[in-house]
Amino acid sequence: MARRLEGKRVAITGPRRSEELGKLVENMGGIPLYRPAQGTVLLEDLDLRNGLVAWASHPPDWSIFTTGMGIDALFDMAEDMGVAEDWRNILQNSSIAARGYKTANVLKKRGLTPIVRDDDGSTEGLIRGLAEHDFQGKDVILQLHGDPAPRLVSWLEEQGASCRQILPYRHIAPPREELDLLLADLIEGRLDAVTFTSGPQVRFLMEHAAGQGKREALMDALQGPVIAVAVGKVTAQGLFEAGVPRVVAPREERMGSMMVELAKYYAGETEPLTGERKPAPDEKIGE
């Protein structure tokens, strides 16, 4: 696999572990370009406190978690408020569902076991698991990360559930000039590949392109000379929903696996996913 990215210019849009990912690109012979498409992730301190108070005052029938980072933020806040043990007891007395292996692992470390898991790391996979249970008249608290989940909320409400949402973190866009540079690199052919490690990165880039009247030019680039690369299935699905026609993504959500998959793509050993070709049920691409 060494040097299989020889000479390829790869944009790294994620703010977390960007240097580590860039070093991996270099080790594989590629040229990393750091082009953030996501700014700081902000902790919503007051909203989180109010959410925990409401959680304790009106315990739900179901607690649904979608990110391990969000769970840790909630427990850290509960510790700060002196209610961590009480909140853990409330969770143990509710039905718990989790999306993603990272989320399930964090719950396990906290002594909590979900009775519902997704089967493929996606929201649709989580819905398939939840569909085996009756939600009519049930009160549900849904922990998100920094983006809403309208598909999941709509499904829960269609099943007769009352859904409360809590977002421990809020994603913000990077400085405009950074998005300008990424967009120009994409449209003007200065990139061979662009990597995405979260949905907000996709959203911020697409919104910026639309605001500049360059969305069509961006789509032309992403279906032509530039290949979009996603860290996992959820991020890949976000790209498809944004109109990107093909995406390289690994079976397991790992940054290293993402770059290995890109190398395989350039070597002709794998085909990109498309919006029309859905992964098979056992094709577990990640959280």
Side-chain angles (χ1 to χ4, degrees), residues 37-53:
Q38 178 182 339
T40 306
V41 179
L42 300 179
L43 178 67
E44 296 285 20
D45 189 284
L46 182 58
D47 289 347
L48 201 54
R49 288 179 182 272
N50 291 339
L52 280 169
V53 170

Side-chain angles (χ1 to χ4, degrees), residues 99-139:
R99 191 207 73 189
Y101 73 94
K102 293 179 182 177
T103 307
N105 286 345
V106 171
L107 286 169
K108 182 178 179 181
K109 290 177 182 177
R110 301 284 185 176
L112 299 166
T113 304
I115 64 172
V116 171
R117 284 283 314 277
D118 59 89
D119 57 16
D120 65 353
S122 71
T123 296
E124 291 300 324
L126 179 58
I127 289 174
R128 285 192 291 272
L130 293 171
E132 300 178 5
H133 299 266
D134 180 14
F135 282 89
Q136 185 64 45
K138 301 297 184 183
D139 183 32

Side-chain angles (χ1 to χ4, degrees), residues 78-282:
E79 291 279 359
D80 185 63
M81 296 168 64
V83 298
E85 198 57 39
D86 291 340
W87 186 53
R88 190 195 313 276
N89 291 335
I90 289 171
L91 293 178
Q92 289 175 333
N93 289 315
S94 72
S95 298
I96 299 176
R99 191 207 73 189
Y101 73 94
K102 293 179 182 177
T103 307
N105 286 345
V106 171
L107 286 169
K108 182 178 179 181
K109 290 177 182 177
R110 301 284 185 176
L112 299 166
T113 304
I115 64 172
V116 171
R117 284 283 314 277
D118 59 89
D119 57 16
D120 65 353
S122 71
T123 296
E124 291 300 324
L126 179 58
I127 289 174
R128 285 192 291 272
L130 293 171
E132 300 178 5
H133 299 266
D134 180 14
F135 282 89
Q136 185 64 45
K138 301 297 184 183
D139 183 32
V140 177
I141 289 185
L142 172 60
Q143 172 266 314
L144 300 171
H145 184 48
D147 269 352
R151 172 75 181 96
L152 180 54
V153 172
S154 295
W155 183 87
L156 287 166
E157 292 177 345
E158 288 167 2
Q159 308 310 305
S162 173
C163 187
R164 294 181 273 162
Q165 300 176 57
I166 184 167
L167 284 77
Y169 290 92
R170 176 170 59 88
H171 295 288
I172 64 171
R176 177 176 177 144
E177 55 269 23
E178 293 184 350
L179 285 172
D180 282 339
L181 181 56
L182 173 59
L183 185 60
D185 282 347
L186 286 162
I187 293 174
E188 296 172 17
R190 294 194 290 267
L191 294 172
D192 297 292
V194 55
T195 64
F196 298 93
T197 56
S198 75
Q201 294 158 21
V202 177
R203 175 165 58 85
F204 291 138
L205 175 61
M206 296 299 167
E207 289 176 352
H208 184 72
Q212 299 296 305
K214 298 179 179 179
R215 185 179 176 91
E216 185 175 348
L218 173 60
M219 287 299 143
D220 287 344
L222 292 174
Q223 66 184 1
V226 184
I227 186 71
V229 191
V231 73
K233 183 176 181 180
V234 173
T235 305
Q237 189 59 41
L239 285 161
F240 293 139
E241 291 174 359
V244 178
R246 54 180 187 155
V247 179
V248 167
R251 290 178 179 269
E252 296 183 356
E253 185 181 333
R254 299 285 191 279
M255 290 190 182
S257 298
M258 173 174 66
M259 300 318 304
V260 169
E261 195 70 13
L262 179 60
K264 288 181 178 179
Y265 166 76
Y266 283 124
E269 297 175 3
T270 187
E271 293 291 326
L273 296 174
T274 66
E276 290 73 31
R277 184 178 79 80
K278 302 297 183 183
D282 62 344

